[in-house]
Amino acid sequence: MDAASFEAAGLYDPEAPDAKERLALLRWLTERGFSMVEIAEADADPALSLEALAGNRAIRRGAVHSAREIAVLLAIPDDTLSRMLLAAGYAQPDPDEGVFTDTDLEALRAFVGAAEVFGWEPVEQFARVVAAAAARVAEAATTLFITEIEQPLIEDEASPIVLAQANLAASLSLDTVPTVMEALLRSQVQQANRRARLARQDGDEATVAIGFIDLVGFTPLSRRLDDAELSEVLDGFEGRASDIATQHDGRVVKHIGDEVMFVAVDPNAACEIALELVDAVRDLGRGVRPRGAVAFGPVLQRGGDYYGPTVNLAARVAELAVPYEILVTAELVENAEHWSLSFAPAGRRMLKGFDEPVTLWELARRD
């Protein structure tokens, strides 16, 4: 494709300061099979850029199936497929537009097969959990590329074609993700199975320790720090929480702003997680002051999260703790082994949402 053709299509201005770099990018794209129409559409799309065009296609290469065709191949009604697509996090396309790949088809086929065993509603709920996890991984991957690769290239005034090649290389690296995800998923399923059985060994109801650790004064702190410093604090907090919970056979359930919620089957392990995390966060400096709480009791497990009075109790108790203090409930004290831990009476407190005062204890390590 010559420069005159690009100029005629309104894609190239030979008088522009970056004319040479722009022309090199346009030729690079056409060499990879992009039509003038595709390039023009991408150039006009505020959610896309020519530098990201090749990488974008590599992410979803082989998209040939329409929603209507998928429904026929899976032998399910259109409205059933539409519900499944929403649950699995797919955007709602034109029913006749070829936007689905063979991989999408096989994933949806797996959901249909699971629905024949478990029912549609439970499978749709499971699909939402999987989609939410995938969305978080996708956001993290995108942020990683932008902050560590793309932004430094832009600051170094890299040419458009270098940016396009970086985008394409990053997109092609997604081919390694299925292997990584399968290994991690199988490991996590094994651990989840073991924790679930241990939590139910005394009955059908899961009984676990739930902990919350948050950062006192985080809001004013966030106003004093720039984005890089704030990111360093949050990364340090979240990273330490994940590592410490894993070391003690627990799991970080979720991050809620400046707060982390974790779970462990063993109450002693939950106490160690809380103590070590407070110590680790203390070392972050910058005025970060952690506090927290741990409760022990029955919970409702749903979609990888935990609900019920035990969770509510732990969250409310955490709000009462002062900086560097960990408060625990009487149920936890009764079920923990005291040889390495000490529990000092912390009084009876009224908590929002609870009718009776709750007896609390302050957790510390035994000297």
Side-chain angles (χ1 to χ4, degrees), residues 18 20-22 24-25 51 153-154 156-167:
D18 63 343
K20 181 179 179 181
E21 292 83 358
R22 172 81 170 188
L25 174 61
E51 291 84 355
L153 286 174
I154 292 173
D156 289 342
E157 299 182 348
S159 68
I161 196 168
V162 169
L163 286 170
Q165 289 168 341
N167 268 274

PDB file of all heavy atoms in Angstrom, residues 18 20-22 24-25 51 153-154 156-167:
ATOM      1  N   ASP A  18       4.904  13.761  12.478  1.00  0.00           N
ATOM      2  CA  ASP A  18       5.187  12.341  12.669  1.00  0.00           C
ATOM      3  C   ASP A  18       4.848  11.523  11.433  1.00  0.00           C
ATOM      4  O   ASP A  18       4.557  10.327  11.530  1.00  0.00           O
ATOM      5  CB  ASP A  18       4.409  11.804  13.873  1.00  0.00           C
ATOM      6  CG  ASP A  18       2.893  11.892  13.656  1.00  0.00           C
ATOM      7  OD1 ASP A  18       2.458  12.652  12.748  1.00  0.00           O
ATOM      8  OD2 ASP A  18       2.145  11.206  14.381  1.00  0.00           O
ATOM      9  N   LYS A  20       6.512  10.196   8.958  1.00  0.00           N
ATOM     10  CA  LYS A  20       7.318   9.016   8.654  1.00  0.00           C
ATOM     11  C   LYS A  20       6.933   7.840   9.562  1.00  0.00           C
ATOM     12  O   LYS A  20       6.751   6.713   9.078  1.00  0.00           O
ATOM     13  CB  LYS A  20       8.802   9.355   8.830  1.00  0.00           C
ATOM     14  CG  LYS A  20       9.733   8.198   8.514  1.00  0.00           C
ATOM     15  CD  LYS A  20      11.203   8.617   8.685  1.00  0.00           C
ATOM     16  CE  LYS A  20      12.134   7.454   8.388  1.00  0.00           C
ATOM     17  NZ  LYS A  20      13.566   7.850   8.564  1.00  0.00           N
ATOM     18  N   GLU A  21       6.802   8.119  10.867  1.00  0.00           N
ATOM     19  CA  GLU A  21       6.436   7.058  11.819  1.00  0.00           C
ATOM     20  C   GLU A  21       5.024   6.564  11.558  1.00  0.00           C
ATOM     21  O   GLU A  21       4.749   5.357  11.660  1.00  0.00           O
ATOM     22  CB  GLU A  21       6.560   7.577  13.252  1.00  0.00           C
ATOM     23  CG  GLU A  21       7.981   7.859  13.725  1.00  0.00           C
ATOM     24  CD  GLU A  21       8.476   9.233  13.282  1.00  0.00           C
ATOM     25  OE1 GLU A  21       7.704   9.944  12.578  1.00  0.00           O
ATOM     26  OE2 GLU A  21       9.622   9.582  13.623  1.00  0.00           O
ATOM     27  N   ARG A  22       4.113   7.478  11.218  1.00  0.00           N
ATOM     28  CA  ARG A  22       2.728   7.097  10.937  1.00  0.00           C
ATOM     29  C   ARG A  22       2.654   6.190   9.709  1.00  0.00           C
ATOM     30  O   ARG A  22       1.951   5.168   9.720  1.00  0.00           O
ATOM     31  CB  ARG A  22       1.905   8.366  10.697  1.00  0.00           C
ATOM     32  CG  ARG A  22       0.479   8.170  10.216  1.00  0.00           C
ATOM     33  CD  ARG A  22      -0.452   7.852  11.342  1.00  0.00           C
ATOM     34  NE  ARG A  22      -1.847   7.895  10.913  1.00  0.00           N
ATOM     35  CZ  ARG A  22      -2.884   7.807  11.737  1.00  0.00           C
ATOM     36  NH1 ARG A  22      -2.690   7.668  13.030  1.00  0.00           N
ATOM     37  NH2 ARG A  22      -4.110   7.853  11.275  1.00  0.00           N
ATOM     38  N   ALA A  24       4.987   4.247   8.533  1.00  0.00           N
ATOM     39  CA  ALA A  24       5.570   2.937   8.861  1.00  0.00           C
ATOM     40  C   ALA A  24       4.552   2.067   9.600  1.00  0.00           C
ATOM     41  O   ALA A  24       4.435   0.863   9.334  1.00  0.00           O
ATOM     42  CB  ALA A  24       6.831   3.134   9.702  1.00  0.00           C
ATOM     43  N   LEU A  25       3.794   2.664  10.506  1.00  0.00           N
ATOM     44  CA  LEU A  25       2.778   1.914  11.247  1.00  0.00           C
ATOM     45  C   LEU A  25       1.665   1.438  10.325  1.00  0.00           C
ATOM     46  O   LEU A  25       1.233   0.278  10.397  1.00  0.00           O
ATOM     47  CB  LEU A  25       2.205   2.776  12.373  1.00  0.00           C
ATOM     48  CG  LEU A  25       1.034   2.170  13.155  1.00  0.00           C
ATOM     49  CD1 LEU A  25       1.466   0.874  13.842  1.00  0.00           C
ATOM     50  CD2 LEU A  25       0.498   3.170  14.182  1.00  0.00           C
ATOM     51  N   GLU A  51      -1.997   1.623  17.386  1.00  0.00           N
ATOM     52  CA  GLU A  51      -0.917   0.882  18.026  1.00  0.00           C
ATOM     53  C   GLU A  51      -1.438  -0.400  18.692  1.00  0.00           C
ATOM     54  O   GLU A  51      -0.690  -1.358  18.865  1.00  0.00           O
ATOM     55  CB  GLU A  51      -0.214   1.758  19.072  1.00  0.00           C
ATOM     56  CG  GLU A  51       0.597   2.899  18.510  1.00  0.00           C
ATOM     57  CD  GLU A  51      -0.241   4.141  18.202  1.00  0.00           C
ATOM     58  OE1 GLU A  51      -1.479   4.074  18.347  1.00  0.00           O
ATOM     59  OE2 GLU A  51       0.337   5.161  17.812  1.00  0.00           O
ATOM     60  N   LEU A 153       7.574   3.273  27.380  1.00  0.00           N
ATOM     61  CA  LEU A 153       7.876   3.469  25.961  1.00  0.00           C
ATOM     62  C   LEU A 153       7.412   4.847  25.490  1.00  0.00           C
ATOM     63  O   LEU A 153       8.111   5.531  24.727  1.00  0.00           O
ATOM     64  CB  LEU A 153       7.208   2.380  25.122  1.00  0.00           C
ATOM     65  CG  LEU A 153       7.843   0.987  25.177  1.00  0.00           C
ATOM     66  CD1 LEU A 153       7.000  -0.016  24.411  1.00  0.00           C
ATOM     67  CD2 LEU A 153       9.269   1.022  24.617  1.00  0.00           C
ATOM     68  N   ILE A 154       6.218   5.238  25.951  1.00  0.00           N
ATOM     69  CA  ILE A 154       5.700   6.559  25.577  1.00  0.00           C
ATOM     70  C   ILE A 154       6.601   7.657  26.129  1.00  0.00           C
ATOM     71  O   ILE A 154       6.912   8.641  25.443  1.00  0.00           O
ATOM     72  CB  ILE A 154       4.252   6.727  26.082  1.00  0.00           C
ATOM     73  CG1 ILE A 154       3.317   5.788  25.308  1.00  0.00           C
ATOM     74  CG2 ILE A 154       3.785   8.171  25.937  1.00  0.00           C
ATOM     75  CD1 ILE A 154       1.906   5.747  25.841  1.00  0.00           C
ATOM     76  N   ASP A 156       9.692   7.445  26.708  1.00  0.00           N
ATOM     77  CA  ASP A 156      10.948   7.425  25.950  1.00  0.00           C
ATOM     78  C   ASP A 156      10.749   7.838  24.498  1.00  0.00           C
ATOM     79  O   ASP A 156      11.687   7.756  23.687  1.00  0.00           O
ATOM     80  CB  ASP A 156      11.560   6.024  25.989  1.00  0.00           C
ATOM     81  CG  ASP A 156      12.119   5.677  27.360  1.00  0.00           C
ATOM     82  OD1 ASP A 156      12.342   6.608  28.161  1.00  0.00           O
ATOM     83  OD2 ASP A 156      12.316   4.480  27.633  1.00  0.00           O
ATOM     84  N   GLU A 157       9.513   8.258  24.174  1.00  0.00           N
ATOM     85  CA  GLU A 157       9.160   8.721  22.819  1.00  0.00           C
ATOM     86  C   GLU A 157       9.402   7.634  21.775  1.00  0.00           C
ATOM     87  O   GLU A 157       9.938   7.894  20.690  1.00  0.00           O
ATOM     88  CB  GLU A 157       9.929   9.993  22.472  1.00  0.00           C
ATOM     89  CG  GLU A 157       9.613  11.154  23.419  1.00  0.00           C
ATOM     90  CD  GLU A 157      10.345  12.428  23.046  1.00  0.00           C
ATOM     91  OE1 GLU A 157      11.270  12.367  22.206  1.00  0.00           O
ATOM     92  OE2 GLU A 157       9.999  13.486  23.586  1.00  0.00           O
ATOM     93  N   ALA A 158       9.008   6.421  22.108  1.00  0.00           N
ATOM     94  CA  ALA A 158       9.118   5.315  21.156  1.00  0.00           C
ATOM     95  C   ALA A 158       8.196   5.564  19.972  1.00  0.00           C
ATOM     96  O   ALA A 158       7.156   6.209  20.085  1.00  0.00           O
ATOM     97  CB  ALA A 158       8.740   4.003  21.840  1.00  0.00           C
ATOM     98  N   SER A 159       8.561   5.023  18.826  1.00  0.00           N
ATOM     99  CA  SER A 159       7.767   5.216  17.618  1.00  0.00           C
ATOM    100  C   SER A 159       6.465   4.426  17.704  1.00  0.00           C
ATOM    101  O   SER A 159       6.364   3.444  18.456  1.00  0.00           O
ATOM    102  CB  SER A 159       8.554   4.757  16.397  1.00  0.00           C
ATOM    103  OG  SER A 159       8.733   3.352  16.426  1.00  0.00           O
ATOM    104  N   PRO A 160       5.438   4.827  16.938  1.00  0.00           N
ATOM    105  CA  PRO A 160       4.175   4.090  16.948  1.00  0.00           C
ATOM    106  C   PRO A 160       4.339   2.608  16.620  1.00  0.00           C
ATOM    107  O   PRO A 160       3.646   1.773  17.192  1.00  0.00           O
ATOM    108  CB  PRO A 160       3.351   4.819  15.882  1.00  0.00           C
ATOM    109  CG  PRO A 160       3.888   6.198  15.853  1.00  0.00           C
ATOM    110  CD  PRO A 160       5.360   6.039  16.108  1.00  0.00           C
ATOM    111  N   ILE A 161       5.238   2.270  15.714  1.00  0.00           N
ATOM    112  CA  ILE A 161       5.395   0.871  15.330  1.00  0.00           C
ATOM    113  C   ILE A 161       6.001   0.057  16.486  1.00  0.00           C
ATOM    114  O   ILE A 161       5.654  -1.117  16.675  1.00  0.00           O
ATOM    115  CB  ILE A 161       6.238   0.731  14.039  1.00  0.00           C
ATOM    116  CG1 ILE A 161       6.052  -0.677  13.463  1.00  0.00           C
ATOM    117  CG2 ILE A 161       7.697   1.024  14.296  1.00  0.00           C
ATOM    118  CD1 ILE A 161       6.609  -0.813  12.066  1.00  0.00           C
ATOM    119  N   VAL A 162       6.868   0.667  17.280  1.00  0.00           N
ATOM    120  CA  VAL A 162       7.426  -0.021  18.452  1.00  0.00           C
ATOM    121  C   VAL A 162       6.321  -0.276  19.468  1.00  0.00           C
ATOM    122  O   VAL A 162       6.239  -1.355  20.065  1.00  0.00           O
ATOM    123  CB  VAL A 162       8.572   0.794  19.073  1.00  0.00           C
ATOM    124  CG1 VAL A 162       8.969   0.234  20.436  1.00  0.00           C
ATOM    125  CG2 VAL A 162       9.778   0.807  18.145  1.00  0.00           C
ATOM    126  N   LEU A 163       5.442   0.713  19.667  1.00  0.00           N
ATOM    127  CA  LEU A 163       4.308   0.530  20.569  1.00  0.00           C
ATOM    128  C   LEU A 163       3.379  -0.569  20.066  1.00  0.00           C
ATOM    129  O   LEU A 163       2.883  -1.395  20.848  1.00  0.00           O
ATOM    130  CB  LEU A 163       3.533   1.843  20.703  1.00  0.00           C
ATOM    131  CG  LEU A 163       4.191   2.942  21.546  1.00  0.00           C
ATOM    132  CD1 LEU A 163       3.438   4.253  21.387  1.00  0.00           C
ATOM    133  CD2 LEU A 163       4.218   2.526  23.011  1.00  0.00           C
ATOM    134  N   ALA A 164       3.141  -0.588  18.755  1.00  0.00           N
ATOM    135  CA  ALA A 164       2.271  -1.614  18.174  1.00  0.00           C
ATOM    136  C   ALA A 164       2.871  -3.001  18.347  1.00  0.00           C
ATOM    137  O   ALA A 164       2.167  -3.971  18.663  1.00  0.00           O
ATOM    138  CB  ALA A 164       2.038  -1.313  16.692  1.00  0.00           C
ATOM    139  N   GLN A 165       4.170  -3.114  18.149  1.00  0.00           N
ATOM    140  CA  GLN A 165       4.830  -4.409  18.306  1.00  0.00           C
ATOM    141  C   GLN A 165       4.789  -4.870  19.764  1.00  0.00           C
ATOM    142  O   GLN A 165       4.626  -6.067  20.044  1.00  0.00           O
ATOM    143  CB  GLN A 165       6.275  -4.307  17.809  1.00  0.00           C
ATOM    144  CG  GLN A 165       6.379  -4.167  16.299  1.00  0.00           C
ATOM    145  CD  GLN A 165       7.767  -3.781  15.833  1.00  0.00           C
ATOM    146  OE1 GLN A 165       8.587  -3.272  16.607  1.00  0.00           O
ATOM    147  NE2 GLN A 165       8.051  -4.001  14.551  1.00  0.00           N
ATOM    148  N   ALA A 166       4.915  -3.933  20.707  1.00  0.00           N
ATOM    149  CA  ALA A 166       4.833  -4.283  22.125  1.00  0.00           C
ATOM    150  C   ALA A 166       3.437  -4.767  22.484  1.00  0.00           C
ATOM    151  O   ALA A 166       3.263  -5.730  23.238  1.00  0.00           O
ATOM    152  CB  ALA A 166       5.224  -3.078  22.988  1.00  0.00           C
ATOM    153  N   ASN A 167       2.415  -4.088  21.949  1.00  0.00           N
ATOM    154  CA  ASN A 167       1.029  -4.509  22.174  1.00  0.00           C
ATOM    155  C   ASN A 167       0.787  -5.910  21.635  1.00  0.00           C
ATOM    156  O   ASN A 167       0.153  -6.749  22.295  1.00  0.00           O
ATOM    157  CB  ASN A 167       0.069  -3.523  21.495  1.00  0.00           C
ATOM    158  CG  ASN A 167      -0.385  -2.404  22.411  1.00  0.00           C
ATOM    159  OD1 ASN A 167      -1.350  -2.550  23.152  1.00  0.00           O
ATOM    160  ND2 ASN A 167       0.335  -1.298  22.353  1.00  0.00           N
TER     161      ASN A 167
END
